[in-house]
Amino acid sequence: VLLNVRQPQKNHVLAISVSSQNPAAYLVTSHPENPLEPPVFCMTLRKHLEGGRIGKIRQEELDRLFFVEIDTIGAQSSIVTKTLALEFMAQYSNVILLGPDGKIIDALHKIGAGRSRVREVLPHLDYVPIASDKLNIFEATEGSIKERLQAMPQKSVAGAILETLMGFGPASAREAAYRAGLAAKKMEELDKEDYARLFAALEDLKTELSDPHPTLYIGENQKLLAMSAFPLSHSEGKATAYTSISKALEAADK
């Protein structure tokens, strides 16, 4: 999905991808060619959002869930706020258009009861976001993180981090374990000193996330090996730094 966003003296194109391999939203510098026949969902977005004004973009804590609130003109010149819910959850990724009452107007991927026992995503139903019980690294205490990690004794350190901390992907989870010198260990093998090194590594990552340095790692035959908001110590391949997350994501998509 491509959104043309117009500002004084400058236009932007926001690309929204729900590819299971690389779901993301980012600004692109070149506008991909439109299909001859616009998809039905695209026509729905044009009908409801064209001419609207983006009032707010918010993220659900550190989760891969974003909401773009768009103010449109309704009856008698009233302001009607509609919302694009962007869910970047691997194979469950979706773009869902919501009305001001929180009900679903339409979705890129409609999900009926036959496809999911967790929730349905169909027009006229109430929107129910995908729930997450992972911890926010900027808010959770060391004690709560440690308790969650210790509940997975058979997991590798990276695997336990991945299932514990919100917003961590495989590359960042492996990086935390690598920096702590625990890449080859399982959680049940950790002692007091190991936990001290692990939390020190997580503190380092928190600092680096406050000042991102987006980097792609390319292997043989131009294969994308990893992508991160900060340099990775453990990744192989050629590292290429970018000035913004959007530029890194655009390059990764080529």
Side-chain angles (χ1 to χ4, degrees):
V1 175
L2 298 173
L3 295 183
N4 291 301
V5 184
R6 296 178 176 86
Q7 288 185 317
Q9 302 179 338
K10 188 170 186 179
N11 296 333
H12 304 277
V13 179
L14 178 66
I16 303 169
S17 170
V18 293
S19 161
S20 60
Q21 298 298 316
N22 187 26
Y26 51 97
L27 298 174
V28 293
T29 54
S30 60
H31 198 304
E33 186 175 344
N34 289 330
L36 295 176
E37 293 291 332
V40 174
F41 185 63
C42 176
M43 297 300 292
T44 301
L45 294 183
R46 288 180 180 177
K47 173 184 175 182
H48 287 273
L49 303 181
E50 209 163 44
R53 177 183 179 276
I54 296 177
K56 182 187 296 184
I57 300 176
R58 56 188 172 88
Q59 180 182 6
E60 187 69 20
E61 294 191 81
L62 298 180
D63 214 345
R64 298 160 293 171
L65 179 59
F66 298 82
F67 298 96
V68 183
E69 298 179 4
I70 302 172
D71 298 329
T72 61
I73 303 299
Q76 300 179 339
S77 299
S78 62
I79 301 297
V80 178
T81 301
K82 298 172 183 177
T83 303
L84 272 183
L86 312 180
E87 302 179 341
F88 302 129
M89 310 287 183
Q91 69 267 31
Y92 303 110
S93 298
N94 209 344
V95 181
I96 305 169
L97 177 63
L98 310 177
D101 57 358
K103 291 187 180 294
I104 297 170
I105 296 174
D106 201 0
L108 186 58
H109 297 308
K110 297 180 179 65
I111 303 172
R115 288 184 56 193
S116 174
R117 292 178 295 177
V118 178
R119 67 168 189 166
E120 294 181 80
V121 179
L122 295 172
H124 312 301
L125 296 182
D126 290 328
Y127 172 72
V128 179
I130 297 175
S132 173
D133 64 346
K134 293 184 179 181
L135 301 177
N136 185 333
I137 191 174
F138 289 99
E139 298 177 357
T141 64
E142 286 191 10
S144 62
I145 295 175
K146 184 176 181 180
E147 182 180 0
R148 189 75 66 90
L149 292 173
Q150 289 177 325
M152 295 176 275
Q154 294 301 313
K155 285 278 187 182
S156 66
V157 173
I161 292 172
L162 189 61
E163 293 194 19
T164 298
L165 296 177
M166 189 181 295
F168 272 67
S172 50
R174 287 195 298 269
E175 179 69 10
Y178 181 86
R179 291 190 185 191
L182 305 172
K185 286 193 174 186
K186 292 184 178 181
M187 291 307 306
E188 62 182 0
E189 300 173 310
L190 269 57
D191 57 25
K192 183 178 180 180
E193 287 73 20
D194 291 331
Y195 274 107
R197 291 200 305 274
L198 177 57
F199 283 111
L202 291 175
E203 283 296 321
D204 287 344
L205 294 185
K206 285 168 61 176
T207 300
E208 293 184 29
L209 284 170
S210 300
D211 182 24
H213 289 77
T215 308
L216 298 184
Y217 294 84
I218 309 297
E220 295 182 359
N221 301 318
Q222 296 302 300
K223 181 181 179 181
L224 178 63
L225 300 178
M227 174 170 47
S228 178
F230 46 80
L232 300 175
S233 307
H234 73 277
S235 185
E236 299 178 352
K238 178 183 177 182
T240 303
Y242 293 84
T243 56
S244 73
I245 296 286
S246 284
K247 290 180 179 179
L249 286 165
E250 185 177 17
D253 200 36
K254 292 180 178 179

